[in-house]
Amino acid sequence: MSGHFRPPISAQVLRKIKQLSTPKPDAIYMTNRNPRNLEKLRIAYKPDGYHLEKPGRSFWHKLEVNVSGRYVTAEVKHFQNGPVVAASTSEWAIKKQLFKTKDTTAFINLARVLANRCQQSGITEMMCNIEAVPGGKLDKFLKTVEENGITLKELPRYNNPKAWDAERPEKPWEVLEEDIRK
């Protein structure tokens, strides 16, 4: 006899497999299709970048504002995938509602549109390195973004503490004078 012998599966085992794999009618199932779910839970990898860089690269999402000769563009960039959410005064729907595409009201309305798009996409926290002059256009832009429910600071990555970490000394082979007195 050649080939592999496979024992027959009993009817009881087949019933148990079917019972475990069939969804229950009263159970609530949820499928999370957000690829950035681990970032929302604060357990995803957060890049460190180079430690000598001034602004650093320790972020998941970062807000960038570009002011050109005629238009203002605001983007939320992911550290791996680039721009995730963007809004610009060059968009026809936004430009049509503005008197000028680069004045203070353009910055404020652009901030409202960007905050709304971020809320719809599920991004509520992002890093912001923009240094704005108090009372200036960028300052009003940032305040409007925060007023519309976006936090311009990301929380640090969650580090799951272990039970043994609290009592374990840093270097167990070093004996301190305090330890001797005990």
Side-chain angles (χ1 to χ4, degrees):
M1 290 172 83
S2 64
H4 297 284
F5 175 73
R6 187 172 162 186
I9 299 175
S10 69
Q12 184 179 8
V13 172
L14 287 173
R15 266 189 258 117
K16 189 65 176 174
I17 290 172
K18 186 176 181 183
Q19 178 187 3
L20 291 172
S21 62
T22 308
K24 296 174 178 61
D26 59 339
I28 299 172
Y29 292 96
M30 185 186 116
T31 303
N32 188 351
R33 295 186 178 162
N34 185 358
R36 296 190 173 90
N37 185 42
L38 294 177
E39 294 167 8
K40 293 292 283 181
L41 294 172
R42 292 183 23 219
I43 58 177
Y45 168 74
K46 199 173 199 180
D48 289 335
Y50 296 104
H51 297 289
L52 297 175
E53 288 180 311
K54 184 181 177 191
R57 274 193 257 169
S58 184
F59 63 88
W60 288 302
H61 296 99
K62 181 179 181 181
L63 176 66
E64 289 186 359
V65 179
N66 299 321
V67 182
S68 68
R70 286 181 77 177
Y71 301 112
V72 181
T73 304
E75 293 179 331
V76 177
K77 291 189 174 183
H78 188 260
F79 78 95
Q80 274 183 329
N81 304 335
V84 180
V85 179
S88 176
T89 56
S90 65
E91 295 177 24
W92 181 81
I94 298 173
K95 184 172 29 173
K96 185 177 178 187
Q97 303 297 324
L98 299 173
F99 183 69
K100 289 184 179 179
T101 57
K102 219 176 130 179
D103 61 347
T104 306
T105 57
F107 275 83
I108 292 171
N109 288 312
L110 185 68
R112 289 179 186 155
V113 171
L114 183 74
N116 187 13
R117 291 179 184 177
C118 288
Q119 292 282 353
Q120 288 176 351
S121 65
I123 299 171
T124 57
E125 298 172 346
M126 62 190 73
M127 188 186 82
C128 179
N129 286 344
I130 300 171
E131 295 178 12
V133 177
K137 295 177 188 178
L138 278 175
D139 186 47
K140 291 182 180 179
F141 175 86
L142 297 175
K143 285 181 182 175
T144 307
V145 168
E146 285 182 329
E147 288 168 3
N148 285 291
I150 304 296
T151 307
L152 295 178
K153 182 184 171 207
E154 281 186 341
L155 294 172
R157 184 175 181 226
Y158 177 71
N159 187 8
N160 189 9
K162 307 288 188 256
W164 60 81
D165 283 347
E167 299 147 10
R168 186 176 64 188
E170 191 65 33
K171 296 178 183 174
W173 57 86
E174 287 184 0
V175 179
L176 301 175
E177 292 178 20
E178 299 167 359
D179 295 338
I180 297 172
R181 290 185 212 150
K182 290 181 184 178

